[in-house]
Amino acid sequence: MTRRTKFLGPIVAAAVAFGGLAPAFAADNQDVIDYRERIMKTLDAQVAVLGQILSGATPDDQVVSHLEAIAEAASQSLKSFEPKVEGGESLPVVWTNWKDFEMRMKDFQSKTRLAADTAKSQGKDAALTNILDALRCKDCHDVYRKKQ
Amino acid sequence: MNRLVKCGLALAVLVAPVMAHADDQDVMNYRKNVMKTMGEQNALLQMVVAGKVPADQFVSHIKTLHLAATQAKKAFEPKVVGDGSTGSAKAEVWSNWADFSKRIDDQVTKLAALEKAAAEGGVAKAGPMIATSLDCRGCHENYRVPKK
């Protein structure tokens, strides 16, 4: 280590410790936020088309595929919230109340997976019987998402 | 024809365009949400490949993208032309349906192969195939109203 780097070393360490290099990390944080938001937007899109089908506005011939897409995106969601990066539409309570959040997400994952598997094995009508119980989006959004 | 029937027919004529418009909007909403799913999951895939987020959900993103691609053809079957604001599909989608539907079929086939490769060998195997497996632009240039 040269004299100059010896001199800079403590400064860099202090900058990192006190957030002086925040811009470099902010870019990473934005990636984390973008990642989870895109997963939630996927869920939003597929739940919306399912809603259209349930309301009779759209034919129901792709229900199995939509349920599978919802289950798949639901399986991605918890992982995307694991990095504790506040911002976007997430409230800090996601991480301060992680156990509850995690439990709700796992419940969401298992119920949407069950619905998708039921649709494949028993048909769409069987899967749609309890679908509203699987898609309790609002319960979570009321607690963990910023008011829109 | 009694007055009641005449009134009923007049009302039906007046209401019909409104209902037709609502149906058209449903058709456009449906396909927009399917395309939105593809857009979001494609963006997630690109984030993984760029190293911005961990690769542990790589296969799931491709699977969801593949699922949405299988939904796309059906979503475009009803001929409802967009104007760039409420919908973005050009009239050429239907006047050139053979080409459009073939492109979607090809996309589905390529994504099936990509999903298989991802399941077998993760990013190392499927990563190099992504550029040739996704031809969003080729289709959008011909069949989507340019964004305003």
Side-chain angles (χ1 to χ4, degrees), chain B residues 64-141:
Chain B
T64 313
L65 185 55
H66 178 206
L67 276 166
T70 66
Q71 297 163 6
K73 191 169 166 180
K74 201 87 187 173
F76 279 93
E77 281 179 0
K79 185 186 171 181
V80 179
V81 180
D83 61 4
S85 56
T86 52
S88 303
K90 284 184 179 175
E92 283 81 354
V93 166
W94 298 276
S95 62
N96 205 7
W97 180 256
D99 176 69
F100 180 79
S101 60
K102 183 182 177 302
R103 285 173 186 251
I104 293 187
D105 290 343
D106 287 349
Q107 184 65 90
V108 170
T109 303
K110 285 177 179 175
L111 283 169
L114 187 66
E115 184 184 336
K116 187 170 178 285
E120 288 170 356
V123 180
K125 185 168 183 182
M129 295 168 62
I130 290 176
T132 52
S133 299
L134 290 164
D135 186 25
C136 311
R137 194 154 172 253
C139 224
H140 289 167
E141 281 181 350

Side-chain angles (χ1 to χ4, degrees), chain A residues 88-136:
Chain A
E89 295 185 8
S90 303
L91 290 170
V93 72
V94 165
W95 297 278
T96 56
N97 204 10
W98 179 256
K99 274 193 174 174
D100 175 71
F101 182 80
E102 183 183 39
M103 186 194 73
R104 287 173 190 243
M105 283 299 222
K106 284 183 175 173
D107 187 53
F108 174 53
Q109 286 174 10
S110 62
K111 284 179 175 170
T112 51
R113 172 47 55 204
L114 179 64
D117 290 347
T118 302
K120 276 187 275 190
S121 62
Q122 298 171 43
K124 59 190 177 220
D125 291 337
L128 293 176
T129 306
N130 290 321
I131 194 64
L132 294 180
D133 182 48
L135 300 174
R136 299 169 71 94

Side-chain angles (χ1 to χ4, degrees), chain B:
Chain B
M1 195 181 294
N2 65 35
R3 280 179 68 183
L4 191 65
V5 173
K6 280 182 184 171
C7 282
L9 282 172
L11 191 65
V13 170
L14 284 171
V15 169
V18 176
M19 291 178 71
H21 178 73
D23 289 349
D24 287 354
Q25 193 57 57
D26 289 334
V27 168
M28 286 190 281
N29 287 345
Y30 185 70
R31 70 188 185 214
K32 279 165 76 173
N33 277 317
V34 169
M35 298 312 285
K36 183 179 165 187
T37 304
M38 291 186 72
E40 299 298 347
Q41 291 292 318
N42 181 31
L44 292 164
L45 200 57
Q46 302 302 336
M47 289 181 85
V48 173
V49 174
K52 292 180 173 181
V53 290
D56 47 3
Q57 306 206 100
F58 181 67
V59 179
S60 180
H61 294 313
I62 294 176
K63 186 178 177 187
T64 313
L65 185 55
H66 178 206
L67 276 166
T70 66
Q71 297 163 6
K73 191 169 166 180
K74 201 87 187 173
F76 279 93
E77 281 179 0
K79 185 186 171 181
V80 179
V81 180
D83 61 4
S85 56
T86 52
S88 303
K90 284 184 179 175
E92 283 81 354
V93 166
W94 298 276
S95 62
N96 205 7
W97 180 256
D99 176 69
F100 180 79
S101 60
K102 183 182 177 302
R103 285 173 186 251
I104 293 187
D105 290 343
D106 287 349
Q107 184 65 90
V108 170
T109 303
K110 285 177 179 175
L111 283 169
L114 187 66
E115 184 184 336
K116 187 170 178 285
E120 288 170 356
V123 180
K125 185 168 183 182
M129 295 168 62
I130 290 176
T132 52
S133 299
L134 290 164
D135 186 25
C136 311
R137 194 154 172 253
C139 224
H140 289 167
E141 281 181 350
N142 290 304
Y143 295 109
R144 189 171 71 169
V145 177
K147 287 184 179 175
K148 291 175 182 171

Side-chain angles (χ1 to χ4, degrees), chain A residues 134-148:
Chain A
L135 300 174
R136 299 169 71 94
C137 311
K138 191 172 178 289
D139 287 0
C140 226
H141 289 167
D142 282 349
V143 179
Y144 295 107
R145 191 174 70 168
K146 287 178 185 166
K147 299 280 179 275
Q148 296 197 317

Side-chain angles (χ1 to χ4, degrees), chain A residues 12-135:
Chain A
V12 171
V16 170
F18 294 104
L21 295 182
F25 290 99
D28 291 349
N29 287 350
Q30 192 56 53
D31 288 336
V32 169
I33 293 168
D34 288 347
Y35 187 68
R36 68 188 183 221
E37 286 192 349
R38 288 188 181 280
I39 289 170
M40 299 314 278
K41 283 179 185 171
T42 301
L43 280 165
D44 181 54
Q46 290 292 314
V47 170
V49 295
L50 195 65
Q52 279 191 253
I53 291 167
L54 290 172
S55 71
T58 302
D60 64 357
D61 45 3
Q62 302 207 102
V63 164
V64 177
S65 176
H66 292 307
L67 287 172
E68 184 60 35
I70 290 169
E72 203 59 41
S75 77
Q76 298 162 9
S77 56
L78 181 61
K79 197 93 189 167
S80 74
F81 282 92
E82 282 179 0
K84 186 188 171 182
V85 177
E86 294 180 13
E89 295 185 8
S90 303
L91 290 170
V93 72
V94 165
W95 297 278
T96 56
N97 204 10
W98 179 256
K99 274 193 174 174
D100 175 71
F101 182 80
E102 183 183 39
M103 186 194 73
R104 287 173 190 243
M105 283 299 222
K106 284 183 175 173
D107 187 53
F108 174 53
Q109 286 174 10
S110 62
K111 284 179 175 170
T112 51
R113 172 47 55 204
L114 179 64
D117 290 347
T118 302
K120 276 187 275 190
S121 62
Q122 298 171 43
K124 59 190 177 220
D125 291 337
L128 293 176
T129 306
N130 290 321
I131 194 64
L132 294 180
D133 182 48
L135 300 174

